Amino acid sequence: MKRTAVCCALAFTALLVIACARPVPQAARPAGTLAVAGFSNPAFTWELLAGYLPREGVKVDPQVVDRLNEALTNTLLAHGTAGYVSMGNTRQCMDVKNYESEVSSRTTALKYWLDVGRCTGADLLLVPQLLYWKERQGKDMGVEAPASVMLDIYLLDVKQGRIAQRYHFEETQQDLSSNLLDAPKFFERKGKWITAGDLAAEGIDTGLRTLGL
């Protein structure tokens, strides 16, 4: 009887994986020229374009942001997104204004990023923000605490002066028994506990596909 139940559970899981393990389709490319800002790591809610921070006043190691920017660049390349204004050139426009003195509310946060977009001469500006980061405590086959990541990726319509799209990613890795609906992810990750960097890379890949980039 127990063996039958186990077999049924395994069969159900296999069917679930087959049904759900599909890559996120690439949305249509947005029209217009694109500029890409590197990841920012807001410490206060008023620095956000939307949403909230689970913890205020906390920033991650700058090396984490560097790795996320590398992942963002590599993913854009892998998706065939080319001809955009680079992070380096966008950074020059960001340096024109002092963010800390210019931004004190979400209204002015949006104005700041739109001004950056206008400075680049692009029609669209990609603004990624890292909101929460907790590294895995343990190894890939067993952890004391899993990785956890929260990030937002915004696509701003510079000409229209608005947020065109927003992709929100928030995940704390769980084991298979905690959430059977995550079975496809579990098998894609080969049953391993992944790092926060790997988790963020998945979010960046899905986010860019969702935005058409």
Side-chain angles (χ1 to χ4, degrees), residues 141-201:
M141 298 310 295
V143 295
E144 297 176 8
S148 182
V149 173
M150 182 190 297
L151 57 84
D152 276 324
I153 304 178
Y154 299 91
L155 188 63
L156 303 187
D157 186 327
V158 178
K159 287 189 175 181
Q160 296 294 325
R162 64 185 180 88
I163 298 173
Q165 295 187 72
R166 173 198 179 199
Y167 174 78
H168 180 74
F169 176 82
E170 181 177 352
E171 183 174 345
T172 299
Q173 189 179 4
Q174 297 180 318
D175 59 30
L176 184 59
S177 62
S178 298
N179 187 356
L180 194 58
L181 294 178
D182 274 343
K185 290 182 180 179
F186 177 84
F187 287 103
E188 286 173 8
R189 296 164 179 169
K190 300 179 181 178
K192 296 180 179 180
W193 294 96
I194 63 176
T195 66
D198 292 332
L199 196 60

Side-chain angles (χ1 to χ4, degrees), residues 41-115:
N41 179 214
F44 300 98
T45 297
W46 53 260
E47 297 177 83
L48 304 179
L49 291 167
Y52 69 97
L53 286 172
R55 293 188 303 172
E56 287 198 309
V58 179
K59 280 186 170 288
V60 303
D61 189 316
Q63 292 184 354
V64 169
V65 178
D66 291 341
R67 294 202 302 272
L68 289 180
N69 286 334
E70 182 179 1
L72 179 63
T73 300
N74 291 339
T75 306
L76 287 167
L77 178 63
H79 290 184
T81 304
Y84 58 84
V85 179
S86 68
M87 293 181 192
N89 289 332
T90 302
R91 167 57 63 180
Q92 294 179 18
C93 286
M94 293 170 63
D95 290 341
V96 170
K97 291 192 174 185
N98 186 309
Y99 185 82
E100 293 294 334
S101 63
E102 291 290 335
V103 178
S104 59
S105 70
R106 287 183 181 171
T107 301
T108 49
L110 176 59
K111 180 180 182 300
Y112 168 81
W113 287 111
L114 288 173
D115 285 345

